[in-house]
Every structure is written in structure tokens, then in C-alpha cells.
Amino acid sequence: TMLAFPSGRKPKSQRAKRVLKTFESKIVEDERQAIFLRSTTANDQVTHLLRDLYKLKKPHGKFFDRRNEKRPFEDDTSVEFLCVKNNASVFAFGSHTKKRPTSVVLGRLFDGHVFDMYEMACSNIKFMEDFKGEKPALGSRPCCIFVGEDFENNEELSLFRESLLDFFANKPVDKTNLSGLDSVIVVTAAEGKVHFRHYLIKFKKSGIRTPRVELEEAGPSFDIALTRTKLPAAELRKAATRAPKGPSKTAKKNEETNNMGDKMGRIHMEKQDLDSLELRKLKALKRSRNMPDEVEGGEGDADEAPQPATGGKKKKRRPLDD
């Protein structure tokens, strides 16, 4: 079957087909783009909190100043349209009503449609402006830490943890440079609530090679109570987590890797003729010019060592002066 755009249109040109390939699943996904929206009833506190979350997501995010009338849990068509238009896979929507005060909805998309959503009732909010000191660098990758057994035992909180990782985490990295790690997000689940904290990492001198690490709270900081959730179906989750097939690796003949990681190979060669093999001639194996080929003598001369043959005139000895 021919792939189609999220809007349902099928490509008709080669350029459109190349664009459509960018929507296909990849082994290593690109940076997840996020959009930040707010309703017509959002107050200053919700707007301020959204802007702080937007600062943590920069530069892979877009904040919309225009207010949106449709709320995701009532009508998600507007959110889906804006996400597809801006090539965003995650979104944050802030609102404030008497029944649901200071609420922020986090959601993810799959194949152009809402995958899951979590409505957070935020309390005890502290903004970045409330903390003095340095701020994280633009585009830095925060380290995400989740504390609490509820993230493992509760299915709803387990999926909420995945949503937070997809929202704030970027591409997976194999190595980490300590000098480039400047912030950490700590999410703790305890007593039926989730506590969101953001810290700056300070490296102090410790007298040894490994520095001493200190955490300095930088905001935003707030407590979360999940009021409404929209979890994905089992079949939809299976389709979203299906990994694409990578390039097939063909096994090379007569080549293997041992337990130590060394690459071993077997080479087949013809039988060598050692008689015609040219060897390097060493001086140590040559016979001395003064050494006779054979030592002639009788039985009495057998034990005596052969005397070297001397040629030329004998040197006369001079008498020593008194």
C-alpha cells in the first residue's frame, strides 16, 4: 500500500514522496519538536509555567502567543493540526478554570493523531525567576532521574514517565561529557503525588580526579496530581513501539570475534616450496677467512686446538730501553 500524509493525501510527485519518507519511522529518531499552547481562560500563573517549560525545551520548541479555544480532552483536532503543521510530536496545553485550576496537559502524537494525554493539576509552583543564580545553557541536555516505586508498579505513572522522557529527553547518547552536563530534572512519586524539580549541577574541587557534585535548585518547581488521562490502546502502543528494520549485516566467511573482542580470521594459502625460498644471509653464519676447511693431524694432534694460519712477515720485538 502507498503511504499517505497525515492529512490522508497520497503523494503524486517524486518530491512529495521524498517528503513523505521523513514521516517514516527511523532507527535513531530526530529531535522531538514540541509546541506550547494555552486556552482562552489561562491565567498568568499557567502562562508563566508554560514559558519556563519552553525554556527547558529550547531550541526544539515553539511557543504560541495566540490562545486556543479547543481543549485537547474535549476536541483534539486543533492540537493535531498544529502539531502536524509544525512537525511536532509532543505538546503542552495550559488552561485554568474553577473546576480544574492551573492545569497543564502533556501529550504525544503518533501517525498524526493523539497517542496519549495526561492532565496535571499543578500546585506549589516556583518559577525560574524565584531562584537567583546561573541558568542552564541554551540547548543543553538535562539529565532525567525518576525516583519512586510507583513508576514501576503503577501502569499510569509508568506511561507518564515515558511521556516526560519523550518531552524533555533528546537523542540518546553513548558518551557524556561532564563539563557539558549542567542541569538535572528529578521527578519523585510519593504519597499519591508527583514532585517535579529542576536543579543546576555544580562541580567543586574534591582533591581527587573525580569532582564533588552539588545540586542547586533553579526552577521551575511544582507538584503534580494527575486528574485525567487518555492512555493508548494495546494495539496502538504495539504499532508505535515497533522498531524499523535496519540494514542487514551479512556474515563474512572465515571471520569471527573471540570473547575478548579480538577479530580473528582464517587465511588459506598454497603449500610453500622451502627449497626455493630465499633467506637472508647473515654474517654470523659465514666461515672465517683465516679458518682452514679441514684440520689434518695424527692421533696426538687430536686434542690440540688448531693454530690459525698466519701469513706475511713476522714483526720483530724491540728491546725496552733501560
Side-chain angles (χ1 to χ4, degrees):
T1 58
M2 183 181 294
L3 296 175
F5 287 98
S7 59
R9 294 178 300 167
K10 293 184 178 180
K12 297 181 180 180
S13 62
Q14 293 296 331
R15 182 182 178 185
K17 290 180 180 179
R18 288 194 298 268
V19 173
L20 185 60
K21 285 186 177 181
T22 60
F23 292 93
E24 295 180 356
S25 57
K26 303 176 183 178
I27 299 177
V28 179
E29 295 289 342
D30 298 332
E31 302 284 357
R32 293 182 178 87
Q33 302 292 327
I35 60 173
F36 295 83
L37 309 169
R38 52 181 176 163
S39 68
T40 54
T41 59
N43 57 4
D44 294 339
Q45 196 174 23
V46 173
T47 304
H48 205 158
L49 179 59
L50 285 176
R51 290 191 181 276
D52 282 356
L53 294 177
Y54 167 63
K55 292 177 183 177
L56 295 180
K57 187 62 179 174
K58 273 186 176 182
H60 307 291
K62 186 175 182 180
F63 189 90
F64 285 81
D65 292 326
R66 185 176 180 179
R67 297 174 182 267
N68 200 319
E69 296 181 359
K70 298 180 180 180
R71 296 182 177 87
F73 274 95
E74 283 75 21
D75 188 1
D76 56 4
T77 56
S78 178
V79 173
E80 291 178 353
F81 171 77
L82 292 174
C83 285
V84 172
K85 187 177 180 180
N86 294 275
N87 194 22
S89 57
V90 291
F91 67 90
F93 186 91
S95 63
H96 176 80
T97 58
K98 187 176 181 180
K99 186 178 180 181
R100 304 181 187 279
T102 320
S103 63
V104 176
V105 178
L106 292 183
R108 295 182 289 177
L109 270 76
F110 172 69
D111 198 17
H113 300 284
V114 172
F115 180 72
D116 59 352
M117 290 187 295
Y118 305 89
E119 186 179 58
M120 307 181 299
C122 303
S123 58
N124 300 328
I125 303 175
K126 294 181 180 180
F127 307 111
M128 285 187 175
E129 295 179 355
D130 299 335
F131 300 95
K132 297 181 180 180
E134 299 179 2
K135 302 300 178 185
L138 178 65
S140 63
R141 300 171 183 266
C143 175
C144 297
I145 300 176
F146 294 87
V147 183
E149 297 180 354
D150 294 340
F151 287 117
E152 302 293 339
N153 302 330
N154 192 334
E155 182 182 1
E156 187 176 284
L157 288 179
S158 179
L159 292 173
F160 179 62
R161 175 182 60 181
E162 294 180 4
S163 181
L164 288 175
L165 280 174
D166 288 344
F167 197 90
F168 292 104
N170 295 323
K171 282 185 177 181
V173 293
D174 298 330
K175 297 180 181 179
T176 303
N177 188 1
L178 288 180
S179 60
L181 187 63
D182 59 352
S183 63
V184 57
I185 295 176
V186 181
V187 184
T188 307
E191 299 178 357
K193 279 194 174 184
V194 179
H195 307 277
F196 184 96
R197 301 291 184 269
H198 179 231
Y199 299 94
L200 287 179
I201 300 177
K202 300 290 185 179
F203 296 103
K204 304 291 184 179
K205 293 182 179 180
S206 60
I208 56 177
R209 185 175 182 181
T210 305
R212 180 169 54 90
V213 180
E214 291 185 359
L215 299 181
E216 180 181 333
E217 193 168 0
S221 169
F222 54 94
D223 298 337
I224 301 170
L226 296 179
T227 54
R228 286 188 294 180
T229 58
K230 180 184 177 182
L231 302 181
E235 296 181 357
L236 181 62
R237 177 172 172 78
K238 185 178 180 180
T241 55
R242 185 182 296 116
K245 293 183 179 179
S248 58
K249 296 182 179 179
T250 57
K252 296 183 179 180
K253 292 182 65 177
N254 302 328
E255 188 175 301
E256 58 183 4
T257 306
N258 58 11
N259 297 332
M260 300 300 295
D262 298 328
K263 197 173 184 180
M264 310 294 292
R266 182 180 298 173
I267 301 175
H268 298 277
M269 300 179 62
E270 296 180 357
K271 187 176 180 181
Q272 295 181 349
D273 186 7
L274 301 180
D275 297 335
S276 62
L277 187 65
E278 294 185 2
L279 299 176
R280 184 181 177 186
K281 297 180 181 180
L282 301 177
K283 283 187 176 182
L285 300 179
K286 289 184 179 180
R287 187 177 297 275
S288 176
R289 184 178 299 175
N290 299 328
M291 183 70 68
D293 293 340
E294 294 181 358
V295 179
E296 297 180 357
E299 295 180 356
D301 301 335
D303 296 335
E304 296 180 0
Q307 298 295 329
T310 58
K313 296 180 180 181
K314 293 184 179 180
K315 293 182 179 181
K316 294 181 180 181
R317 294 183 179 179
R318 289 183 179 182
L320 296 176
D321 296 337
D322 293 338

